[in-house]
Amino acid sequence: MPSRIFVGMRKPLTIVLLLLGAGLLLCLLAYPFGYDQAVFAVAGELSIKHGAVTYRDFLDTKPPFIFTIYGVAIWLFGHHEWAPRLFDAIVQALTLVYFYRVLLRSTKDTAVAFGSVLLYIVLYVTSGFWMTGQAETFALLPIVWILSLSEQARNGAHALSKGILVGCASAILFLLKFTLLVVPAGAVLYLVLYSDDRTYRNSIRFAFGAVASLGILLGVVIGYMSWAGALRPFFETLAWLSGYAGIDPVLGAHTIGELYFRQFPIAVVTALLPTTLVLAFVGIFRNRRSETKPATIYSHLLIQLGFGLFSVLYERKFFPYHFSRVYFAFVPFVILGTRSAWELKTEYLSSLRNLRGIQRTLRQTAVIGIAAIAVFYSPLVRVVTNPLYWAQLRLKGGDVGAAADSKFGGLYYADQERAASELKSALRPNETIFLWGNNVGLYFRTEVEPRTICLTNTPLVTSWTPQTWKDTLLRQLQTAPPRFFVCETNDARPYITGDTLDSRQHLEQWSELASFVHTNYHDWKTVGHFVIYEHQ
């Protein structure tokens, strides 16, 4: 199988590299949940097990498809943290085989295709437990599908039907994250820019098919939300997102000076790493200056790289996982740059043979020093600090909670475990809990689903929160009071809420909710950063 798929590579080397890549993907199973993964898992179980509708039955500002993915994964593999990770590893493996075939068909270059797949695995898995399993993660499959369809359309293969399929893939991207629609936009631009008089009409047909099918599918989604009673809260969510975006306005002085020109470059280097960035620049330059006619897919990838980085810049939240949307367009240029660097290294070493004495020693020392620096700032170091670290910790039965908290402050993983243990031992059948906080892994660990619209409280504590959301939450709590009301402390999210208050301070600031708690509950126990009240 490997020798047939990866044509032109030696079978033993192919098998070894495949096993290493598969081993890295399997290390995902050792990763604990971060804040986002816990939200996706809890909302996913609500969606798949109980038929909950996003926006109507629970509040979150992300599109609904990521919750569906997590819900399906847990339904398939069970209520475990590793269940979505296993699903992720399987999806990534299958998609990367597809990515390999698309690159090989378009570039006719086995080394670039195979190297891109391996480097993608390394960049993705080594980004860490918080940065994997995100919406951008599962966008890879529709993105590669769009790449393949646009390449086929450029070659004159049924442009209209390919465009219609691109619209379908675009709908999936939209339901994962709104800004991912830059991918089909980049595909349309690529076809327009690289079409001639003979193929220009094909580009128009492609664009029309993509826009028409995307519009129809989004119309179906909106119709479903209207039928399900989720349309009004969906529009309220869009209005909430507008207020969220207003914390750092697109053209505000602070946004331009601080985010665009200071934080964004640092985030790019942090996410894509200095060594691979340098190699990518070399690969782009050498590809554009190549004496032979380069494959046009490189132009498409360059457009996608630019569009993807622009979409991250527009979002103005520069966590490393935001940049994973451009890995697919980034890695082929890194491989091209690596090939160029290897060729230069060979020429350089050949020139050393003509040198003698101190000059030769200095040049050899320089080569070794540059190589050491390049390795240190490459993904290889992160292989040790992320996948290998978590794999050995799980195998040894180490303290995952303490390790997670040491890597990310404010996660309170260990506190969640201890609080969940206390609550599970006290809860009787059909009794519930309510979390007023951010780390909803507490629901996952107690195996008690939320009974209100509130997952995390961040959508409910901002100055631009719709009053209907607050009224709904209070009504639900008063109608069916949970036995335990859990309030988190020291969990401020200023980049979301626009203030520095934690959940306990937000509780006291909301007088109606505070009155409900103080009237109906008494202090039961404090576990770390979780203050637990029991219904009287």
Side-chain angles (χ1 to χ4, degrees):
M1 183 71 169
S3 61
R4 187 172 77 250
I5 294 177
F6 302 105
V7 179
M9 294 190 66
R10 295 177 181 177
K11 186 173 181 179
L13 177 60
T14 301
I15 293 174
V16 169
L17 292 176
L18 282 173
L19 290 175
L20 289 174
L24 277 180
L25 284 175
L26 288 176
C27 286
L28 289 172
L29 275 66
Y31 283 178
F33 276 172
Y35 163 81
D36 292 321
Q37 292 79 11
V39 173
F40 301 155
V42 172
E45 287 197 288
L46 286 173
S47 300
I48 299 302
K49 288 174 61 177
H50 303 287
V53 177
T54 310
Y55 312 123
R56 184 194 71 185
D57 298 319
F58 61 86
L59 289 176
D60 197 88
T61 55
K62 292 181 176 62
F65 196 48
I66 186 64
F67 309 128
T68 302
I69 291 171
Y70 268 68
V72 168
I74 294 170
W75 175 74
L76 285 173
F77 302 119
H79 185 89
H80 313 287
E81 280 191 331
W82 55 260
R85 302 295 191 180
L86 177 58
F87 190 81
D88 182 11
I90 293 170
V91 170
Q92 294 298 310
L94 295 175
T95 304
L96 288 170
V97 171
Y98 182 30
F99 186 42
Y100 168 85
R101 296 175 70 87
V102 171
L103 286 179
L104 183 61
R105 183 172 62 242
S106 301
T107 66
K108 306 297 190 292
D109 192 325
T110 304
V112 167
F114 191 57
S116 296
V117 166
L118 291 177
L119 182 57
Y120 185 99
I121 293 173
V122 172
L123 283 176
Y124 174 64
V125 177
T126 63
S127 63
F129 72 91
W130 198 298
M131 306 305 162
T132 49
Q134 297 280 351
E136 287 85 350
T137 296
F138 300 98
L140 181 61
L141 180 55
I143 285 173
V144 176
W145 192 22
I146 290 172
L147 271 182
S148 177
L149 291 168
S150 55
E151 287 298 310
Q152 294 173 45
R154 187 182 178 279
N155 294 326
H158 308 289
L160 179 61
S161 62
K162 302 303 178 188
I164 291 172
L165 292 175
V166 164
C168 297
S170 303
I172 296 172
L173 291 177
F174 181 82
L175 293 175
L176 280 168
K177 201 161 199 176
F178 303 134
T179 53
L180 290 174
L181 284 182
V182 296
V183 175
V188 170
L189 178 62
Y190 161 69
L191 286 180
V192 170
L193 291 178
Y194 288 89
S195 62
D196 51 29
D197 294 338
R198 181 179 58 85
T199 60
Y200 188 75
R201 288 187 178 181
N202 282 341
S203 302
I204 300 301
R205 294 189 187 99
F206 179 86
F208 174 78
V211 172
S213 61
L214 173 61
I216 292 170
L217 289 172
L218 293 185
V220 171
V221 172
I222 290 173
Y224 169 76
M225 287 195 293
S226 178
W227 173 81
L231 192 58
R232 190 188 73 176
F234 169 67
F235 286 127
E236 289 174 338
T237 300
L238 294 181
W240 188 94
L241 285 171
S242 177
Y244 172 44
I247 295 176
D248 293 304
V250 174
L251 297 178
H254 173 268
T255 304
I256 294 172
E258 175 68 13
L259 300 185
Y260 295 164
F261 287 98
R262 192 182 78 85
Q263 292 187 22
F264 181 70
I266 294 172
V268 170
V269 174
T270 301
L272 301 182
L273 300 175
T275 298
T276 47
L277 274 170
V278 170
L279 290 173
F281 280 123
V282 172
I284 292 170
F285 177 77
R286 291 294 291 267
N287 181 64
R288 307 305 290 181
R289 296 290 299 272
S290 175
E291 295 179 1
T292 59
K293 185 178 180 181
T296 56
I297 193 174
Y298 292 123
S299 299
H300 189 183
L301 291 170
L302 195 57
I303 291 171
Q304 294 291 355
L305 182 59
F307 272 44
L309 291 175
F310 176 78
S311 69
V312 175
L313 190 68
Y314 173 76
E315 288 185 20
R316 305 185 294 288
K317 306 298 178 192
F318 308 138
F319 293 111
Y321 73 81
H322 287 106
F323 294 90
S324 64
R325 73 186 67 185
V326 302
Y327 285 169
F328 77 98
F330 178 70
V331 289
F333 293 112
V334 178
I335 301 304
L336 289 174
T338 303
R339 175 188 287 165
S340 297
W342 186 263
E343 292 170 353
L344 289 173
K345 185 267 310 180
T346 303
E347 295 173 6
Y348 188 83
L349 291 179
S350 297
S351 68
L352 284 179
R353 298 190 185 98
N354 300 321
L355 300 177
R356 294 291 184 273
I358 189 67
Q359 190 176 17
R360 182 174 184 177
T361 301
L362 288 174
R363 290 200 178 187
Q364 287 176 331
T365 303
V367 169
I368 294 171
I370 291 171
I373 293 171
V375 168
F376 183 79
Y377 288 105
S378 76
L380 295 178
V381 174
R382 294 197 323 197
V383 170
V384 177
T385 59
N386 279 309
L388 296 185
Y389 170 80
W390 288 106
Q392 64 84 26
L393 186 68
R394 291 283 192 184
L395 291 172
K396 290 181 178 179
D399 191 341
V400 174
D405 289 336
S406 69
K407 286 184 175 289
F408 283 94
L411 179 58
Y412 308 140
Y413 191 102
D415 289 348
Q416 290 181 55
E417 291 184 314
R418 292 192 295 122
S421 177
E422 296 279 358
L423 289 166
K424 287 181 73 173
S425 63
L427 284 168
R428 293 184 288 270
N430 300 319
E431 290 185 332
T432 62
I433 67 171
F434 174 82
L435 171 68
W436 181 251
N438 286 290
N439 288 301
V440 301
L442 189 66
Y443 284 122
F444 190 82
R445 290 174 177 82
T446 55
E447 300 184 50
V448 176
E449 291 90 1
R451 301 290 179 88
T452 71
I453 60 170
C454 179
L455 294 180
T456 70
N457 64 5
T458 45
L460 291 150
V461 299
T462 63
S463 59
W464 58 90
T465 297
Q467 186 61 41
T468 54
W469 292 2
K470 291 186 172 184
D471 293 342
T472 299
L473 176 61
L474 277 173
R475 184 174 65 254
Q476 290 174 330
L477 288 172
Q478 291 166 350
T479 302
R483 180 178 171 192
F484 293 105
F485 186 106
V486 184
C487 182
E488 193 171 354
T489 61
N490 295 325
D491 63 333
R493 298 288 191 272
Y495 58 92
I496 300 178
T497 63
D499 60 45
T500 57
L501 303 180
D502 70 359
S503 291
R504 193 167 193 175
Q505 291 167 320
H506 277 298
L507 172 63
E508 298 303 326
Q509 192 177 64
W510 185 359
S511 57
E512 294 89 348
L513 183 61
S515 175
F516 168 78
V517 173
H518 297 321
T519 302
N520 297 284
Y521 290 83
H522 65 266
D523 288 348
W524 184 67
K525 192 172 292 187
T526 297
V527 180
H529 290 83
F530 295 94
V531 180
I532 306 174
Y533 302 95
E534 185 178 21
H535 194 269
Q536 298 181 31

